[in-house]
Structure formats: structure tokens, C-alpha cells
Amino acid sequence: MTESRNPGGERNLSTRLRTAKGRSTASQKWLQRQLNDPYVKAAKAAGWRSRAAFKIIELDERFGLFRPGQRIVDLGAAPGGWTQVAVKRAGERGKVVALDILPMDPVPGAITLQGDFNEEAAERAVLEALDGTADLVISDIAPNTTGHNATDHIRILALVELAADFARKVLTPGGAFVAKVFQGGTERDLLNALKRDYATVRHAKPPASRKDSAEMYVVAQGFRGGAGG
Ligand SMILES: C[S@@+](CC[C@H](N)C(=O)[O-])C[C@H]1O[C@@H](n2cnc3c(N)ncnc32)[C@H](O)[C@@H]1O
């Protein structure tokens, strides 16, 4: 498997849809964007299951997240792009446990679990599979939106908080937590908690994250210890 570090660098011939008849404008726009997206092409060429793989690769390049031998938990992992990157970076001595609410094709070298992270049973299953502490918790969880902004916002916040609580439980001192957040960053109370628990807390929007999407990532590094430590 090869990694393309510069997906925008390849020849960028745009693809026009010839079979637009019968498609709704929204799905046609989505398809057109997919076909012309250099990250989609590069992900396919590199064997990553999703273009999202480039987001964690870019975050790693900027923040130095991965090391060989790490124990990693990947939340909201399907279809498995981040999981593939984590397995590759952690190497044979590492351990990767991945969870999604949706079924996910197994990723060689990782333990993949299906469950709703809102439910305790899913957290228990991850803890059981991990069987010890973690060095890195990465969460790309994005709940399905309802279209009702306030409800969506609350559901997103709740999941980020759950992921942060989980990280606090399992991380070893010095460990790191990365999570997708929306709408201008991490909510104030959570941000304060992260600043208390980690040496550095930063926000980043990796280049692979679409400019028109509100997503960004919080990257908390240097866990000061606690229940996990
Ligand atoms: C953006 S995708 C993750 C992409 C992934 N990082 C990759 O590289 O392939 C977000 C995922 O979060 C999952 N998700 C949403 N709500 C969840 C929940 N309550 N528990 C577990 N997974 C959830 C979705 O099913 C979806 O697969």
C-alpha cells in the first residue's frame, strides 16, 4: 500500500457526468464532487477505504500523533480509513480497537466492533477488547443529522463529551485524544476540562477536510494522568 502525501499534486482532469438524467440535483452534485475530488482519487490509489484517511495523516504530520507499538482506540471508525492508518503506524507491536454503530468490514490487524457509543455496552466491549490502557484515542464520530440544528448540535456535543470521558478513563500519562468537533470548535466546558487534563489543546482543520464543512478537530496531547494513569 502506498500513501499519496499530495493528492492535489496529481493530474486533475475533471470528470463530467454523462448520465445525469433521472438523478436529483443534490445527488448529482455529490457524485460530481466525488468524481472530481483529488482526495477521493488518491485514497483509491493508495488503498485507503475513505478520503477521511488523509485527515488523520495530515493531523499526524502536524501534531505527531502516531508511534510504533501504540495502543489505539478509533471511535466512529467505519468504513475504516483511520483504522487502516492506525494499524500501519502502530505496526506489529501495536494494538488497534475500532468501533462503529454500522457494520464494518474487518481491517487486518485491528479488532473491529459494532455498537452505539452512546450505550454503555459498546464502551464495555471496547474496554474488554483493549484489555488495558491506550496511548491514543481518535474519534471521527459524526452522528446522523436530523435537520433540526439544536438537536443535531446537542447530539454531536454529547458524543464528543462521551469520547473525551472515555479517553480520560483509558489513556496513559502522555497520551493523546483527537476528536471531530463542529461549529467553531470545542464547547467551553469541555475545552476547559481538556485544558486541565492535557498539556496542549489545539484545534485544526486539516486540508483534506472540505472547506464548506463545519467540521474541525480538537487535538489534546500530553495527558496528565488520572484514572487511566
Ligand atoms: C465520518 S465517519 C468516519 C470515517 C472514518 N474515520 C474513516 O476514516 O473511514 C463517522 C462515523 O461515525 C459513526 N457513528 C455515528 N454515531 C455513532 C455512534 N453513536 N456510535 C458509534 N459510531 C457512530 C458513523 O456510523 C460513521 O461511520
Side-chain angles (χ1 to χ4, degrees):
M1 191 185 292
T2 54
E3 292 173 25
S4 172
R5 290 162 54 92
N6 181 17
E10 69 179 32
R11 271 180 85 207
N12 195 12
L13 301 173
S14 79
T15 306
R16 295 262 307 276
L17 285 177
R18 277 186 240 184
T19 52
K21 210 172 146 207
R23 279 202 192 97
S24 74
T25 319
S27 72
Q28 197 186 330
K29 265 192 186 155
W30 180 88
L31 193 51
Q32 187 100 46
R33 187 168 76 169
Q34 284 293 104
L35 292 171
N36 292 316
D37 183 336
Y39 283 103
V40 172
K41 290 180 187 167
K44 216 170 175 188
W48 302 127
R49 289 186 187 177
S50 60
R51 74 186 290 294
F54 290 108
K55 300 179 194 171
I56 200 71
I57 289 171
E58 289 166 355
L59 289 172
D60 180 42
E61 280 167 1
R62 180 157 164 208
F63 297 104
L65 301 171
F66 293 112
R67 280 188 316 280
Q70 272 176 331
R71 297 163 58 82
I72 302 170
V73 176
D74 181 10
L75 301 171
W82 284 28
T83 313
Q84 290 177 297
V85 175
V87 164
K88 198 167 178 200
R89 296 288 199 269
E92 280 186 3
R93 288 184 300 109
K95 180 167 193 173
V96 178
V97 179
L99 171 84
D100 204 283
I101 195 167
L102 298 175
M104 172 176 165
D105 286 340
V107 175
I111 300 172
T112 49
L113 303 168
Q114 188 180 354
D116 180 348
F117 196 60
N118 283 305
E119 291 173 8
E120 266 184 64
E123 182 176 313
R124 269 203 308 276
V126 174
L127 288 172
E128 215 165 274
L130 186 64
D131 193 21
T133 54
D135 305 296
L136 180 61
V137 174
I138 51 180
S139 168
D140 199 17
I141 286 187
N144 284 336
T145 46
T146 62
H148 184 259
N149 281 351
T151 309
D152 290 343
H153 191 60
I154 288 166
R155 288 173 55 177
I156 290 164
L157 282 182
L159 275 162
V160 177
E161 264 172 35
L162 274 180
D165 282 348
F166 175 79
R168 198 178 304 124
K169 278 185 213 161
V170 298
L171 282 178
T172 49
F177 170 62
V178 177
K180 192 200 308 260
V181 292
F182 289 90
Q183 298 186 346
T186 310
E187 189 260 338
R188 204 190 56 207
D189 288 349
L190 177 58
L191 188 59
N192 287 340
L194 292 176
K195 283 184 174 165
R196 186 191 63 219
D197 292 343
Y198 295 83
T200 59
V201 179
R202 283 167 292 188
H203 285 98
K205 186 166 177 77
S209 175
R210 292 192 164 107
K211 287 193 182 61
D212 59 0
S213 114
E215 83 173 6
M216 58 197 301
Y217 291 86
V218 63
V219 179
Q221 291 175 289
F223 183 58
R224 297 189 211 275

